[in-house]
Every structure is written in C-alpha cells, then in structure tokens.
Amino acid sequence: MARIRRKACVTLLALFLLVLILTVALKSLTLEESEFTRGNAPLLELKGDAQGTSLAPQPDEVVKLTAPLSKFPPPNYHLHAFYYIWYGNPNFDSKYIHWDHPRLTHWDPKVAQKYSQDRHSPPDDMGANFYPALGAYSSRDPAVMEAHMQQLRTAAIGVIAVSWYPPNTKDDNGAPVDDIMPLLLDVAQRYNIKVAFHIEPYKGRDEVNMYTNIKYIIDTYGGHPAFYRFRTNTGKLLPLFYVYDSYLLNTEQWARLLRHTESASIRDTPYDSVFLALLVEEKHQREVLTAGFDGIYTYFATNGFTYGATQRNWDAIRAFCDDNSLLFVPSVGPGYVDTGVRPWNFQNTRNRINGKYYETSLSAALEAKPDLISVTSFNEWHEGTQIEMAVPKRSPTLYLDYLPNKPTIYLEITRKWAAIFGGERRRRRE
C-alpha cells in the first residue's frame, strides 16, 4: 500500500509539473502567435472576469496591438461601416456625452459624477448597461481611436463613414465633432483605413449650405491620404458622401445642387463628388433620380422597417439602379434594439440570434450584387447595431450582448464576408 501511495504521489507530482510547464509555455507565446481561430487577424487583449460579471478593461492592454499590421487581413475598400464620434467622458470632455442620453432610464447622473475620474468604464452600480469592451469611452481619446482601427482592420473593413456635423454644430444630445476629424484621419491612415463623411441633417441644412460644407470638407480634409475617394465607372476618383435623411429636402432643392443643368450646381467643379441618398420609401427612388443623386443606401438594420431596408426588395432596387446608372449600397446590421432611448419602439427590435441575423443580412446583400456594402454600424450603441468588441456587464439589460460568443464574434463574421464579397466582385469583373 505504501508503494502504491508513493507511485500515486509521483504521478500527481508529474502531472503538476506538466501543467506548470504548459502554463509557462502558453504565457511565453510571442505576440505574433495570438491569432483568431479563423484567418490571420490578431486578437485584441481583454482583461476581466471570465464569467462576464464586473469586467473592468485595462486601457493599455485593451488597445495593445498583438501583431504587426501585416498580420491583419487586407482592407476591403468596398465594405464600409458607419462610425460615430459623438461619445464623451469626464476625462476628455469634462462630462459624459451620449452615454448619458436623456432617455436612458438606467442612467443616474449623480452616481456618474461620483465616478467622474474613471475615464473608461462606469462601474456596475451606475445601472446603465455599458457593454463596450473599452467602457464608456471618449471619441477624442487617441487610444480609443487606435483600438477601433485595430478592430476595423481585424474585420477587414476598409472605409468608415463618419457621422459628421459642420463646425460648431451638433446633434441634439452631443457636442461638435468636426475638430476630432484631423486626428481621426491621421490614426486611420496608420492602419490603411479610409474615411468618408456621413452628413447628418444638421439644423438649417439646404442646398446652399450643403455646397458650402462640401467645399469645406474637401478643402480641409481632401488632401489627406486617408480621405476616401471612389473610382467611378468613368475612371474618376471622387469623394463619396452619404447623406442621411436626404428626403427632408425636396427634389427641386437637391437638383439645384446636383443636376448638371443648374447654374449653382456642384457638378463639373473641383468639388464634384459621389452623393448617396437614403432610400426609405419606394417613391423615393424616382425622387432620388430626379434630384441628381448618384446612388442610394438603405442604412437601417431592421429588416422590414422601411421599403429600402426590407431585404426582399433589394433585387428590385438593384434593377432600378441598374436601369438608371445609380450605385446601390445596401446596409446590413447584426441586430437592432433601441428601446433604451425609444421605449415605444420594441416592435423593431431584431435579435442577433448568435450572429445568424447578421450573416443572413450579409448574404442577402451579396445576392443583390451591390456596388458597395455598408455596415450599420461599428458603434451605434443606443440602437444596438454595433459590431465593436463587447463584454457583458452586470446591470439591467439595455444592449443585446454577444453571449455565448466571444467579444470579437461580429468582427470575425465581418471579416469572413469581406473575403466572400471581395471574391464575388472579382468574379463579376472577369
């Protein structure tokens, strides 16, 4: 019996040493060896409770690039993602911006003030369900920009369409954003990502100040190597602008800006560009054509919410665009839930179904043979359309989390379909 016990002890000791050696070996792996299980894209490192309760990201570790830029998949410049730079926190902006949307019933500003020195993540007892892996970040934080560009490259997204307001203007719940653009362009350039402008319906928007603002954007940012230009079928490289809620101006107003026959037109000037209108109702197709737009996009991530966002209509929309030499840019999203800011809108919630909703949307977009695909969105958290890395938080449910999948699941799905889309485009050209 004593001999048996000695043998058992020796066996246990050997097993212990083996586990210890394996642990040390795994920890000593080089940064370049940490890759996704599918593809060669590097992981971004996260620290926190494996069960997802009380996760607190460590900023310097979260944003660390774990492989050289060459290890990322090549960016697909025909795959765009809507990107929002309207977030703020006390460290960079003296207060929380957008994270404390006035309709967020779970947000307690008194508790928020208590934690004003925590620049990355309000603790769980704030009540708001903050799922970003980076916490309640500021869009002005250079480290956040770096982390976002790494995630975008991980997903093989080549272009971000930045939600933009003219200088000194802003959305109803935010702050001016134009001053963020120079640094954003610089960081994007380091990752070979291009930046397009998604022009919001700022107060007083009309055809006259649209011309002024397009001129401002091109004069100010058009010379930057990260500024996105689209190659038209005539071979021209032109700036491309998404115009949100374009239907708010009538066709006569847009025609004065966009029709070649108008004396005040932007066409055939140094500021000529590609303009994409938001397609909501079916009748808007003819209005878009009459107004002089170059194409349409659908934006909304809720399948069935509008005519344009209804996937079964995409073949017909594609045919209309083909018949009228318009670009077709369907928008796809991973899901939708905005009841935190619009409690009455529960009927438009679309569950993520562990990524199946997103994959179905991407498949439908590819079947429609699009010119570009736009992803709604990289980080529109209040509408639950984000594909940004996310972690679960212990608080009342506000956003649809990614469980049981890992924080990078939607980046991985995007990367897979970016490759498929790239292959489809190559076959169409052959």
Side-chain angles (χ1 to χ4, degrees):
M1 292 294 294
R3 187 179 300 113
I4 293 173
R5 283 197 296 269
R6 283 197 297 273
K7 287 183 177 179
C9 289
V10 170
T11 301
L12 288 172
L13 181 61
L15 285 172
F16 174 77
L17 291 172
L18 178 62
V19 170
L20 181 63
I21 291 169
L22 286 173
T23 302
V24 172
L26 288 171
K27 287 186 176 180
S28 65
L29 283 174
T30 63
L31 293 177
E32 290 190 4
E33 290 171 330
S34 295
E35 297 181 351
F36 283 131
T37 55
R38 296 198 300 270
N40 296 318
L43 287 165
L44 300 177
E45 188 174 332
L46 285 173
K47 298 293 184 181
D49 182 356
Q51 300 302 314
T53 58
S54 190
L55 280 164
Q58 303 298 313
D60 293 338
E61 295 173 348
V62 168
V63 302
K64 187 186 298 180
L65 182 63
T66 60
L69 194 59
S70 61
K71 284 290 185 179
F72 286 104
N76 184 333
Y77 293 112
H78 293 92
L79 181 64
H80 300 184
F82 295 111
Y83 183 77
Y84 292 86
I85 55 173
W86 57 23
Y87 298 107
N89 62 30
N91 190 70
F92 278 84
D93 310 273
S94 76
K95 60 181 180 180
Y96 287 106
I97 301 174
H98 263 270
W99 300 119
D100 61 344
H101 191 290
R103 290 193 185 129
L104 285 176
T105 56
H106 297 143
W107 181 272
D108 183 347
K110 293 181 180 179
V111 179
Q113 184 62 34
K114 176 181 175 182
Y115 297 100
S116 61
Q117 298 307 309
D118 180 358
R119 75 183 177 112
H120 283 275
S121 183
D124 295 330
D125 60 357
M126 291 187 68
N129 202 3
F130 286 102
Y131 279 130
L134 296 172
Y137 53 76
S138 170
S139 297
R140 299 176 184 277
D141 186 343
V144 167
M145 291 185 189
E146 292 277 348
H148 282 173
M149 297 305 151
Q150 293 167 25
Q151 293 183 43
L152 288 157
R153 278 300 307 269
T154 296
I157 291 169
V159 179
I160 53 174
V162 178
S163 177
W164 183 83
Y165 291 82
N168 303 315
T169 64
K170 60 184 182 64
D171 69 283
D172 292 339
N173 302 299
V177 296
D178 180 64
D179 61 314
I180 300 175
M181 294 305 302
L183 179 59
L184 182 66
L185 284 157
D186 287 345
V187 177
Q189 175 59 20
R190 290 204 291 273
Y191 292 88
N192 296 322
I193 289 172
K194 303 299 181 183
V195 178
F197 286 69
H198 191 191
I199 300 178
E200 296 282 357
Y202 54 84
K203 186 177 181 180
R205 187 177 71 179
D206 61 24
E207 72 276 18
V208 176
N209 56 46
M210 272 291 293
Y211 195 129
T212 300
N213 286 318
I214 296 299
K215 183 178 184 299
Y216 166 80
I217 291 171
I218 294 174
D219 284 345
T220 307
Y221 306 118
H224 197 286
F227 185 80
Y228 176 65
R229 294 176 187 271
F230 176 80
R231 187 175 296 280
T232 69
N233 56 12
T234 62
K236 290 183 178 180
L237 274 176
L238 296 178
L240 182 145
F241 295 97
Y242 291 87
V243 184
Y244 191 71
D245 279 358
S246 49
Y247 59 85
L248 293 177
L249 294 185
N250 61 48
T251 54
E252 290 78 13
Q253 288 177 286
W254 283 122
R256 285 194 282 273
L257 176 71
L258 301 177
R259 300 293 293 185
H260 289 270
T261 55
E262 299 292 327
S263 59
S265 172
I266 203 168
R267 302 303 189 184
D268 303 319
T269 74
Y271 305 103
D272 197 358
S273 303
V274 174
F275 294 90
L276 301 179
L278 175 62
L279 179 67
V280 178
E281 300 177 29
E282 184 174 7
K283 67 177 184 179
H284 290 161
Q285 293 177 110
R286 187 56 54 183
E287 294 173 2
V288 164
L289 187 63
T290 304
F293 280 94
D294 302 287
I296 57 179
Y297 72 109
T298 61
Y299 186 77
F300 299 105
T302 295
N303 182 23
F305 177 56
T306 67
Y307 174 83
T310 301
Q311 293 165 14
R312 67 173 180 269
N313 296 330
W314 286 355
D315 283 341
I317 297 171
R318 167 81 268 176
F320 176 85
C321 289
D322 284 346
D323 290 343
N324 295 283
S325 300
L326 295 174
L327 298 174
F328 177 45
V329 186
S331 302
V332 299
Y336 189 90
V337 55
D338 67 352
T339 51
V341 294
R342 303 181 187 100
W344 61 87
N345 200 33
F346 60 90
Q347 73 275 10
N348 283 315
T349 295
R350 298 293 184 270
N351 196 287
R352 292 180 176 238
I353 325 175
N354 294 327
K356 292 180 181 177
Y357 182 89
Y358 192 31
E359 298 224 44
T360 299
S361 300
L362 285 158
S363 177
L366 258 66
E367 288 177 6
K369 297 180 175 58
D371 296 286
L372 307 168
I373 293 178
S374 53
V375 176
T376 306
S377 65
F378 179 76
N379 64 337
E380 220 297 15
W381 285 88
H382 296 330
E383 294 184 350
T385 62
Q386 79 287 341
I387 62 169
E388 180 180 359
M389 287 174 65
V391 293
K393 297 288 282 186
R394 188 181 58 219
S395 56
T397 299
L398 179 61
Y399 308 123
L400 297 177
D401 63 43
Y402 299 175
L403 294 176
N405 298 295
K406 55 188 176 182
T408 55
I409 179 63
Y410 292 99
L411 303 179
E412 295 182 45
I413 292 173
T414 307
R415 183 179 71 250
K416 181 181 80 172
W417 285 90
I420 295 171
F421 183 33
E424 289 288 332
R425 284 188 55 84
R426 285 190 295 273
R427 281 189 288 274
R428 273 192 267 156
R429 288 198 305 268
E430 291 172 354

